[in-house]
Amino acid sequence: MEMKKRLMLELRNKKPGEVKELVLDNCRSDDGKIGGLSSDFENLEFLSMINVNLLSVSNLPKLNKLRKLELSDNRISGGLEVLAEKTPNLTHLNLSGNKIKYFNTLEPLKKLPHLRTLDLFNCEVTNLSNYRDSVFALLPQLTYLDGFDANEKEAPDSEPEADGLDDEYDENGDGEEDDDEEELDEDVVDDEEDDEDLDGEEEEDGVDEEEEEEDDEDGEEDDDDEGEEDLPQGEKRKREHEDEGEEDPDEEDDEEDD
């Protein structure tokens, strides 16, 4: 795909001034030059053009806010003075896999005062004697060359500039999703606790109802007993005999007299 078409796809109906990150890897440049990119991308902070068949960066537009520039696996052999002019705030530059052969090709990078990280893996210049010492001497503002500082200490996994971009992305997207997930988890926990409380209340209500029923039954039995105690002795005995299915003794005596 041509770089201009790829650029239009990456915009996704956004205005150039709204774009902060732009990735154009593996497309094809026009005649080895950058195509479609303009100074309208005034807020661009990260630009990646890996393996796009670039021969030169001569037509790179003015990008004052650009911090990271990925140009690995191209065919650039010089003309780096354009970077000092067009990207004055550059902090990270990756030129790995290009056609850079000599130290003096890197001299224009001295005019990038904020440059902290430079990658030249698989460039012929890395085969020169005293390569690392020479580059650090040529570019004293550098902190890391090919992933290590002057004392051979490895660079951290991410640079502060990259962390800043990631944090901003989290604020606009992933961070909100994480917050939503946490809120959902809290809601689920609250719902479960509410369900447990309701279950507990239902169980207590069931126990109370059973106790009330038992109390009612006991009350009825007590009422029956009290009613029997209030009856005259004769009536009470008569009722007891009736309950047992026996005849009253007085009735038997009357029959014998007859």
Side-chain angles (χ1 to χ4, degrees), residues 34 47 49 54 56-64 66 68-71 76 78-95 98 100 105-113 115 117-118 120:
I34 299 170
L47 174 60
M49 295 184 289
L54 280 181
S56 169
V57 290
S58 60
N59 61 337
L60 184 70
K62 184 78 170 180
L63 300 170
N64 284 326
L66 193 68
K68 299 188 68 174
L69 180 58
E70 297 281 346
L71 296 172
I76 299 168
L80 300 183
E81 60 275 0
V82 175
L83 298 179
E85 178 186 352
K86 301 295 180 66
T87 60
N89 292 304
L90 201 64
T91 61
H92 177 104
L93 177 60
N94 190 345
L95 292 168
N98 279 280
I100 298 172
T105 305
L106 302 173
E107 282 190 18
L109 301 182
K110 291 191 293 185
K111 296 181 180 180
L112 290 171
L115 189 64
T117 302
L118 176 64
L120 296 168

Side-chain angles (χ1 to χ4, degrees), residues 16-69:
E18 298 174 345
V19 178
K20 291 187 176 181
E21 298 185 27
L22 186 60
V23 178
L24 303 173
D25 300 347
N26 302 312
C27 61
R28 283 292 169 261
S29 60
D30 297 330
D31 300 325
K33 296 181 179 181
I34 299 170
L37 197 63
S38 70
S39 58
D40 291 337
F41 290 84
E42 56 187 359
N43 292 310
L44 197 62
E45 298 179 3
F46 175 85
L47 174 60
S48 182
M49 295 184 289
I50 298 173
N51 188 32
V52 296
N53 199 36
L54 280 181
L55 295 172
S56 169
V57 290
S58 60
N59 61 337
L60 184 70
K62 184 78 170 180
L63 300 170
N64 284 326
K65 293 187 178 181
L66 193 68
R67 299 296 185 89
K68 299 188 68 174
L69 180 58

Side-chain angles (χ1 to χ4, degrees), residues 190-224:
D190 292 339
D191 291 341
E192 291 178 353
E193 291 177 352
D194 292 340
D195 291 340
E196 291 176 358
D197 293 338
L198 289 173
D199 292 340
E201 291 176 0
E202 291 176 357
E203 290 177 359
E204 291 177 0
D205 292 341
V207 172
D208 292 340
E209 290 176 359
E210 290 178 1
E211 291 178 352
E212 289 177 359
E213 291 177 358
E214 291 177 358
D215 291 340
D216 291 341
E217 292 176 358
D218 293 340
E220 291 175 358
E221 291 176 359
D222 293 340
D223 291 342
D224 292 341

Side-chain angles (χ1 to χ4, degrees), residues 84-243:
E85 178 186 352
K86 301 295 180 66
T87 60
N89 292 304
L90 201 64
T91 61
H92 177 104
L93 177 60
N94 190 345
L95 292 168
S96 300
N98 279 280
K99 304 295 182 180
I100 298 172
K101 299 179 180 181
Y102 310 108
F103 291 131
N104 60 4
T105 305
L106 302 173
E107 282 190 18
L109 301 182
K110 291 191 293 185
K111 296 181 180 180
L112 290 171
H114 306 291
L115 189 64
R116 296 291 179 266
T117 302
L118 176 64
D119 292 319
L120 296 168
F121 291 110
N122 298 323
C123 292
E124 292 185 41
V125 68
T126 62
N127 297 322
L128 298 177
S129 60
N130 298 319
Y131 156 68
R132 292 185 60 80
D133 292 340
S134 298
V135 174
F136 276 117
L138 180 65
L139 305 172
Q141 77 272 34
L142 274 188
T143 302
Y144 298 105
L145 175 63
D146 299 334
F148 291 87
D149 66 11
N151 297 318
E152 300 297 330
K153 183 178 179 181
E154 189 173 5
D157 292 337
S158 59
E159 292 297 307
E161 302 86 67
D163 291 340
L165 291 173
D166 291 341
D167 292 342
E168 182 175 348
Y169 177 74
D170 290 341
E171 290 175 2
N172 294 331
D174 293 345
E176 293 179 358
E177 291 179 1
D178 292 339
D179 292 339
D180 292 340
E181 290 177 359
E182 290 177 0
E183 291 176 0
L184 288 173
D185 291 340
E186 292 176 358
D187 292 340
V188 171
V189 171
D190 292 339
D191 291 341
E192 291 178 353
E193 291 177 352
D194 292 340
D195 291 340
E196 291 176 358
D197 293 338
L198 289 173
D199 292 340
E201 291 176 0
E202 291 176 357
E203 290 177 359
E204 291 177 0
D205 292 341
V207 172
D208 292 340
E209 290 176 359
E210 290 178 1
E211 291 178 352
E212 289 177 359
E213 291 177 358
E214 291 177 358
D215 291 340
D216 291 341
E217 292 176 358
D218 293 340
E220 291 175 358
E221 291 176 359
D222 293 340
D223 291 342
D224 292 341
D225 294 340
E226 291 175 358
E228 290 178 359
E229 290 176 358
D230 293 339
L231 293 173
Q233 188 66 26
E235 293 292 332
K236 181 177 180 182
R237 187 174 61 181
K238 182 179 180 180
R239 175 173 288 188
E240 288 176 354
H241 285 292
E242 288 176 353
D243 291 341

